[in-house]
Amino acid sequence: MTATGKQDDDVRDLYRELILDHARSPRHFGKLPHMTHTAEGINPLCGDKLKLYLDVADDDTIRDASFEGSGCAISVASASLLTDMIVGLEANQAIRYFEAVTAHLVGDGKMHGRAPVDLGKLRALEGVREFPARVKCATLAWHALHSALRHDAAPATTE
Ligand code: ZN
């Protein structure tokens, strides 16, 4: 095994641990006492269902975020990572993360001429790229985020 191969394995293990940790003890789980935006996400393929709550200030800063629901480890971990990531961001920055995550997991990873976004911990989700069915689990919360910020009335669905 080459040194690089070992490093890749270490990174994969780290990502797996991060996903399991967030799935077992999700951050920001539950309703917000005060919320301005909400959206539901449904992934019928896997049975994942979640509700995302946002508290967005007048200056468009996301003051707080949380989620409720049930689903597989990937969908819960992804929602947990999402809420961890977006608190303190401006709404349009959160949309950039939505674009970056979906580009990274579904597309070619390119932002099409726009400045790249540092995914940070969200890279832990990239293991699902090899499993197209799980990609929907990983992107569900992100689609809900997009709907919530765009005030879509219909639930976000992966279908
Ligand atoms: Zn799932």
Side-chain angles (χ1 to χ4, degrees):
M1 188 184 279
T2 64
T4 319
K6 174 85 179 76
Q7 258 174 15
D8 286 351
D9 284 349
D10 287 350
V11 168
R12 258 195 293 275
D13 285 349
L14 204 76
Y15 284 173
R16 198 172 300 128
E17 269 168 43
L18 192 72
I19 294 287
L20 287 174
D21 179 41
H22 277 263
R24 281 194 203 111
S25 24
R27 322 301 197 260
H28 306 272
F29 193 85
K31 262 199 184 96
L32 286 183
H34 178 262
M35 65 186 91
T36 55
H37 296 58
T38 180
E40 206 177 352
I42 300 163
N43 175 19
L45 207 69
C46 177
D48 309 319
K49 255 184 117 167
L50 61 87
K51 245 183 163 164
L52 187 71
Y53 306 108
L54 303 174
D55 179 7
V56 183
D58 288 340
D59 67 357
D60 256 4
T61 305
I62 299 171
R63 267 192 298 233
D64 209 353
S66 74
F67 75 103
E68 280 183 322
S70 60
C72 66
I74 297 285
S75 68
V76 173
S78 181
S80 175
L81 284 162
L82 177 152
T83 48
D84 239 9
M85 197 73 170
I86 63 166
V87 172
L89 295 182
E90 280 177 24
N92 59 4
Q93 291 175 310
I95 292 286
R96 296 288 315 279
Y97 272 103
F98 160 79
E99 290 168 352
V101 167
T102 47
H104 192 64
L105 298 182
V106 186
D108 53 11
K110 295 199 174 74
M111 293 294 286
H112 303 284
R114 305 177 62 182
V117 171
D118 179 14
L119 288 175
K121 273 187 189 175
L122 300 175
R123 284 198 176 273
L125 298 169
E126 71 187 20
V128 303
R129 279 190 299 193
E130 296 159 51
F131 311 99
R134 306 323 295 275
V135 167
K136 297 186 173 188
C137 305
T139 54
L140 181 64
W142 295 90
H143 285 289
L145 171 71
H146 190 259
S147 302
L149 291 174
R150 294 277 185 259
H151 281 299
D152 288 346
T157 172
T158 52
E159 293 307 299

